């Protein structure tokens, strides 16, 4: 049962698509106070688990920390961080009582889940203008499914997007891309996508291609596609300020950029230098921005990744002005400048809350200050693209994922989890985030495998890929200047081949389970407790996941480990996939086990009485021989296979 409560005058985020009449009075659960803004509080039971918050730091159980929904471009995801790139305000309290809460509030909102006081759950925000949805149900899983029903169907990508993708910030020329392709094909490692980071553009201008490095771009797109590889370009939020650049000129002329209080266009520096932000919250501006994707689609492009859309700001014109004034004053008085103070001032230039108060959107003719709706920018940038795709090719599926997001964006695209690092702790963070993201509707998601920042080691990349085998978005991406981490850069390439081939062998299963989850508003990744609610051990497990309805995974996430402890909530069949299309199988009893796993292996635990479809690996998704499916698992088990052409929206029919 979903109950909706209205406080003040909420902004219509359109996160929820299945509307219901508002309740009178206050929710029966918790306490609400409106004295200083809005505050919801609830005393948690000793053993209550709190799930949710989508893309957030720390565990599957969110208790014991304070999280702030405030979309932030912060590449250093250490344990102390409260905000990442997304804002997913849905939680489920699961204990003696079970209920879900969705705070549909697009500004900064704080979830204190036993941080200030161990048993106190408090959710607070500055303005008491929001919708609160209270959901009760049989258990956490049931509550999630009800929530998913009201926010609408998750985005469905084309089937090729379930293949493997290679990315690196720093590929600049056709030759760079050909080299990547060759690295894969020569070593017989499957590959479906190569991502184009900002260097493909002319001076980082959206919807342009560097003509010197990519003469006859559409021919190059075709050349790659003939090798069964799709090029997936990045699109950034900021539009470069440059006379003669049509996107800029049009935006200024039509008044489609976000404005300062005095009506001038707000100016923020990002990769291209100074830019303006398209006012994607405004319908006409969204249509206009979305329409520009056509430029690349007409050259054969079938997928995109939307970036810097928190929106990230390196500094604003005002911010730099203030810094200059400060330095000027210090010089004038010949005052000593403390290096840490200066460092702090420079650091605070980026993504500053003050800047987010300096510009405005126009929604339905009304002006609204950006900070009030900050968490909706990435959502609406991606929506701009999604709505445009509907017009450009209504029956075609495009690959689309974004860095910043809010619930509602899950209908238009997936997400990647931004700039992680080549740290073992981030491999584990990746695993823990997946079910939370699914709770909030983000099914097509994944992390930068191998880690984005810092230098990766061979074993880390292998172990991380072995988790990535199961994430719908499976992409190796790294920052410029870091150690090269394409599989063919390391020794014993066949270990990498074996792992990536395992992904392709499992695609009939991964695709079927993804489609079932999307079409039934269900989860693809689940915490163990969702499948085994009576098992008190299962409720504690934070490093194993259920994937689809038939399997469990337990990836290795520590260095120099030849395996790990795994908890089996019931008897399961352990299948270890290894190189050259081989596997071994063994039935393990319910309970605790130490499972040895070589760097080249991918273990899968098939649930008792179930089986999964597998095929022989191929170099790309299109070449998988899905006529020759083998069923692996318990004898007599049945499996419902979902299939379609993977290109069109046939699932709608
Ligand atoms: C941002 C993105 C990263 C990308 C870089 C350059 O940091 O998160 O993925 O490589 O910008 O475009």
């Amino acid at each position: 049962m979903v109950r909706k409560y209205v406080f003040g005058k909420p902004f219509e985020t359109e996160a929820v698509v299945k509307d219901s009449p508002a309740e009178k009075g206050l929710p029966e659960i918790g306490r609400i106070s409106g004295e200083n803004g809005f505050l919801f509080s609830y005393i948690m039971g000793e053993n209550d688990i709190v799930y949710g918050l989508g893309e957030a730091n720390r565990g599957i159980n969110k208790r014991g920390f304070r999280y702030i929904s405030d979309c932030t471009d912060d590449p250093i995801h250490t344990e102390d961080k409260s905000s990442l790139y997304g804002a997913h305000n849905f939680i489920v309290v699961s204990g003696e009582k079970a209920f879900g809460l969705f705070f549909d509030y697009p500004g900064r909102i704080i979830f204190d889940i036993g941080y200030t006081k161990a048993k106190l759950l408090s959710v607070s925000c500055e303005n008491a203008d929001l919708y609160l949805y209270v959901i009760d149900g049989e258990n956490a899983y049931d509550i999630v499914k009800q929530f998913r029903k009201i926010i609408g169907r998750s985005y469905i990508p084309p089937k090729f997007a379930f293949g493997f993708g290679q990315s690196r910030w720093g590929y600049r020329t056709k030759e760079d891309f050909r080299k990547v392709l060759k690295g894969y094909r020569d070593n017989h490692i499957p590959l479906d996508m190569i991502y184009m980071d900002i260097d493909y553009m002319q001076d980082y201008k959206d919807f342009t291609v560097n003509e010197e490095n990519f003469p006859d771009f559409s021919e190059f797109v075709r050349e790659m596609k003939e090798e069964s590889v799709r090029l997936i370009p990045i699109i950034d939020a900021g539009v470069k300020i440059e006379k003669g650049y049509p996107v800029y000129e049009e935006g200024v002329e039509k008044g489609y950029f976000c404005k300062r209080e005095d009506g001038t266009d707000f100016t923020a520096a990002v990769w291209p230098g100074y830019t303006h932000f398209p006012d994607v919250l405004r319908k006409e501006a969204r249509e206009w921005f979305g329409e520009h994707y056509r430029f690349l689609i007409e050259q054969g492009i079938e997928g995109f990744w939307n970036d810097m859309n928190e929106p990230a700001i390196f500094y604003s014109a005002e911010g730099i002005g203030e810094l200059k004034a400060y330095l000027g004053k210090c010089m004038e008085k010949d005052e000593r400048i403390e290096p840490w103070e200066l460092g702090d001032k420079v650091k605070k230039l980026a993504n500053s809350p003050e800047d987010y108060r300096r510009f405005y959107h126009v929604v339905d003719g009304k002006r609204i200050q950006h900070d009030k709706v900050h968490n909706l920018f990435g959502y609406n940038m991606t929506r701009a693209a999604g709505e445009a795709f509907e017009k450009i090719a209504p029956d075609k599926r495009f690959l689309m994922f974004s860095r910043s997001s809010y619930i509602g964006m899950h209908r238009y695209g997936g997400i990647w989890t931004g700039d992680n690092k080549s740290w073992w702790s981030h491999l584990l963070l990746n695993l823990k985030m997946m079910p939370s993201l699914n709770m909030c509707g983000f099914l097509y998601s994944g992390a930068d495998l191998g880690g984005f920042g810092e230098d990766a080691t061979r074993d880390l990349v292998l172990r991380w890929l072995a988790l990535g085998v199961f994430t719908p978005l499976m992409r190796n991406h790294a920052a410029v200047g870091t150690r090269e981490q394409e599989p063919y850069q390391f020794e014993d390439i066949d270990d990498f081949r074996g792992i990536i081939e395992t992904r392709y062998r499992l695609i009939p299963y991964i695709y079927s389970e993804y489609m079932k989850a999307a079409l039934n508003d269900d989860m693809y990744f689940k915490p163990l407790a969702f499948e085994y609610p009576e098992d008190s051990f299962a409720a504690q497990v934070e490093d194993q996941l259920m994937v689809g309805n038939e399997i469990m995974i337990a990836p290795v996430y520590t260095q120099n480990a030849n395996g790990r402890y795994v908890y089996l909530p019931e008897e399961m069949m352990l299948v270890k996939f290894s190189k050259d299309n081989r596997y071994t199988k063994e039935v393990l009893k319910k309970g605790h086990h130490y499972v040895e796993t070589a760097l080249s292996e991918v273990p899968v635990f098939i649930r008792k009485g179930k089986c999964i479809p597998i095929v022989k690996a191929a170099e790309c998704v299109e070449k998988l021989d899905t006529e020759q499916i083998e069923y692996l698992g318990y004898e007599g088990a049945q499996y419902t296979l979902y299939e379609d052409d993977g290109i069109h929206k046939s699932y709608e029919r």
Side-chain angles (χ1 to χ4, degrees):
M1 175 84 182
V2 182
R3 291 193 176 83
K4 170 175 151 183
Y5 299 88
V6 188
F7 299 93
K9 287 205 178 83
F11 183 87
E12 299 299 334
T13 66
E14 294 172 65
V16 170
V17 288
K18 201 173 148 217
D19 203 20
S20 52
E23 302 285 326
K24 292 198 178 73
L26 294 174
E28 277 169 26
I29 210 102
R31 247 194 91 223
I32 288 182
S33 126
E35 272 162 41
N36 298 306
F38 174 87
L39 170 70
F40 170 91
S41 48
Y42 174 75
I43 303 298
M44 297 181 283
E46 186 84 36
N47 300 316
D48 285 2
I49 292 180
V50 179
Y51 295 105
L53 292 184
E55 186 184 19
N57 216 342
R58 303 217 174 191
I60 294 177
N61 183 353
K62 303 313 262 191
R63 263 187 99 144
F65 197 56
R66 191 183 57 158
Y67 304 86
I68 305 178
S69 287
D70 186 19
C71 297
T72 306
D73 168 31
D74 177 353
I76 307 173
H77 314 161
T78 40
E79 248 182 64
D80 54 315
K81 296 296 167 71
S82 302
S83 306
L84 300 176
Y85 308 90
H88 307 145
N89 305 337
F90 172 60
I91 54 172
V92 180
V93 177
S94 168
E96 260 163 48
K97 279 194 199 132
F99 59 94
L101 301 168
F102 174 50
F103 298 85
D104 189 9
Y105 178 81
R108 187 175 190 272
I109 177 163
I110 302 170
F111 292 80
D112 182 333
I113 311 180
Y115 168 79
T116 303
K117 283 190 182 161
K119 287 197 185 156
L120 179 67
L121 162 71
S122 76
V123 182
S124 57
C125 51
E126 205 178 80
N127 299 306
D129 295 314
L130 70 153
Y131 291 111
L132 168 61
Y133 294 83
V134 180
I135 308 172
D136 37 48
E138 275 163 43
N139 51 35
Y141 188 18
D142 176 46
I143 289 164
V144 167
K145 285 195 271 192
Q146 290 188 57
F147 177 60
R148 294 280 306 286
K149 286 257 174 301
I150 65 166
I151 58 171
R153 183 192 286 164
S154 296
Y155 158 77
I156 295 178
K159 196 169 179 187
F160 72 78
F162 290 83
F164 182 64
Q166 180 62 56
S167 184
R168 181 175 173 84
W169 175 13
Y171 301 152
R172 294 183 157 272
T173 63
K174 282 186 184 175
E175 270 328 295
D176 292 340
F177 286 87
R178 288 185 182 125
K179 231 167 76 190
V180 176
L181 177 70
K182 189 167 160 23
Y184 275 87
R185 293 291 180 247
D186 284 1
N187 290 296
H188 306 289
I189 307 171
L191 182 74
D192 270 88
M193 289 150 287
I194 309 180
Y195 289 82
M196 306 188 91
D197 208 320
I198 46 174
D199 296 302
Y200 80 87
M201 295 184 234
Q202 182 67 50
D203 305 321
Y204 308 140
K205 283 182 286 191
D206 279 341
F207 315 115
T208 67
V209 173
N210 182 309
E211 284 183 16
E212 199 180 311
N213 292 336
F214 297 96
D216 202 351
F217 184 61
S218 43
E219 176 49 37
F220 184 57
V221 176
R222 196 161 38 239
E223 172 191 322
M224 285 287 169
K225 221 169 140 183
E226 265 160 27
E227 298 288 338
S228 306
V229 162
R230 261 99 173 172
L231 293 172
I232 312 293
I234 196 170
I235 304 291
D236 280 354
V239 171
K240 184 174 169 64
I241 299 178
E242 188 185 278
K243 279 233 150 353
Y245 164 40
V247 186
Y248 161 76
E249 300 268 0
E250 272 168 38
V252 171
E253 193 193 298
K254 297 192 163 128
Y256 285 163
F257 292 125
C258 293
K259 302 209 176 340
R260 298 187 180 95
E261 202 176 1
D262 67 4
T264 56
D265 291 327
F266 177 72
T267 300
V270 207
W271 301 123
Y274 278 129
T275 67
H276 292 322
F277 294 139
D279 185 0
V280 284
L281 270 69
R282 179 173 163 195
K283 195 164 173 283
E284 310 83 67
R286 193 160 64 232
E287 269 171 20
W288 163 77
F289 192 77
E291 184 55 33
H292 279 288
Y293 285 78
R294 188 189 288 273
F295 165 75
L296 290 156
I297 292 171
E298 281 179 347
Q299 301 187 67
I301 292 297
E302 295 174 76
F304 301 88
W305 46 313
N306 279 348
D307 192 21
M308 307 302 277
N309 49 8
E310 293 68 33
I313 298 178
F314 295 166
Y315 52 85
S316 66
E318 289 87 342
I320 279 286
E322 284 165 11
L323 182 69
K324 277 190 191 152
Y326 161 80
L327 290 173
K329 239 194 259 156
C330 294
M331 306 282 195
E332 227 172 73
K333 293 194 201 147
D334 202 14
E335 256 177 32
R336 184 176 144 163
I337 302 177
E338 303 296 353
W340 51 88
E341 195 181 312
L342 182 60
D344 200 45
K345 284 215 179 311
V346 171
K347 219 169 122 201
K348 282 195 174 146
L349 283 177
N351 310 316
S352 107
E354 254 164 81
D355 281 337
Y356 291 132
R357 282 191 290 271
R358 279 188 172 121
F359 64 95
Y360 294 79
H361 299 273
V362 179
V363 182
D364 297 331
K366 278 193 228 110
R367 209 171 70 145
I368 181 155
Q369 201 166 7
H370 174 77
D371 67 325
K372 308 264 181 312
V373 287
H374 173 69
N375 292 337
L376 299 180
F377 196 93
Y379 162 18
N380 281 284
M381 177 188 176
T382 300
R383 180 175 172 188
E387 287 171 345
F389 299 160
E390 284 281 329
K391 286 190 202 137
I392 296 168
D395 195 33
K396 188 179 161 83
R397 302 186 214 173
F398 286 87
L399 170 56
M400 165 53 73
F401 56 90
S402 169
R403 193 170 71 176
S404 188
S405 59
Y406 184 84
I407 292 173
M409 201 207 83
H410 70 286
R411 300 190 297 268
Y412 301 96
I415 61 163
W416 96 100
T417 57
D419 299 348
N420 58 10
K421 302 231 189 260
S422 298
W423 295 341
W424 291 89
S425 60
H426 277 181
L427 195 177
L428 182 58
L429 183 62
N430 177 184
L431 181 148
K432 290 182 180 183
M433 236 187 248
M434 294 321 263
S436 312
L437 283 170
N438 278 209
M439 292 175 206
C440 299
F442 295 93
L443 296 185
Y444 191 78
S445 46
D448 287 351
L449 302 174
F452 174 76
E454 310 300 341
D455 295 335
T457 57
R458 177 179 185 273
D459 53 354
L460 176 71
V461 180
L462 281 167
R463 291 300 196 200
W464 212 330
L465 288 172
L467 163 62
V469 162
F470 303 96
T471 59
L473 165 62
M474 186 188 188
R475 178 177 81 142
N476 175 335
H477 179 48
V480 66
T482 59
R483 179 181 184 180
E484 293 176 317
Q485 66 187 42
E486 295 87 358
Y488 50 83
Q489 309 283 4
F490 297 103
E491 307 154 72
D492 298 331
I493 296 172
D494 52 335
D495 286 350
F496 290 87
R497 182 190 312 121
I499 292 199
I500 297 172
E501 280 187 347
T502 301
R503 162 63 166 227
Y504 283 73
R505 293 167 78 186
L506 286 166
I507 280 180
Y509 179 70
I510 292 171
Y511 187 64
S512 279
E513 295 303 301
Y514 184 94
M515 292 304 291
K516 288 178 206 169
L519 298 175
N520 300 318
D521 303 317
D522 205 334
M523 294 168 75
Y524 167 87
F525 281 116
K526 277 168 269 185
L528 268 54
F530 280 33
E531 286 293 350
Y532 305 96
E534 305 303 327
D535 183 327
S536 55
F537 266 126
Q540 299 293 315
V541 176
E542 289 255 337
D543 58 358
Q544 302 173 199
L545 297 175
M546 308 306 298
V547 181
N549 293 313
E550 340 284 305
I551 67 170
M552 181 181 81
I553 59 165
V556 177
Y557 54 88
T558 40
Q559 190 160 29
N560 301 320
N562 66 353
R564 54 163 286 182
Y565 285 96
V566 179
Y567 174 65
L568 268 60
E570 61 175 328
E571 178 199 295
M572 290 184 182
M573 182 185 285
L574 164 61
V575 179
K576 279 186 195 164
F577 289 94
S578 54
K579 298 180 249 198
D580 308 320
N581 280 300
R582 280 177 297 143
Y583 60 78
T584 58
K585 43 183 195 175
E586 174 191 359
V587 172
L588 298 181
K589 286 205 193 93
K590 171 182 161 91
H592 298 273
H593 297 265
Y594 188 83
V595 176
E596 281 189 18
T597 305
L599 278 175
S600 58
E601 285 175 334
V602 182
V604 166
F605 299 83
I606 302 177
R607 295 174 65 182
K608 193 173 178 194
K610 305 218 176 209
C611 69
I612 59 168
I614 61 166
V615 284
K616 283 226 154 48
E619 71 175 18
C620 62
V621 172
E622 273 161 7
K623 292 190 181 152
L624 289 171
D625 183 359
T626 47
E627 297 293 304
Q628 303 291 327
I629 293 185
E630 179 189 338
Y631 287 88
L632 186 57
Y634 285 86
E635 217 156 284
Q638 299 237 338
Y639 182 77
T640 307
L641 185 80
Y642 177 93
E643 261 295 16
D644 60 15
D645 71 5
I647 300 167
H648 300 104
K649 296 180 178 167
S650 43
Y651 51 81
E652 285 186 348
R653 295 188 288 272

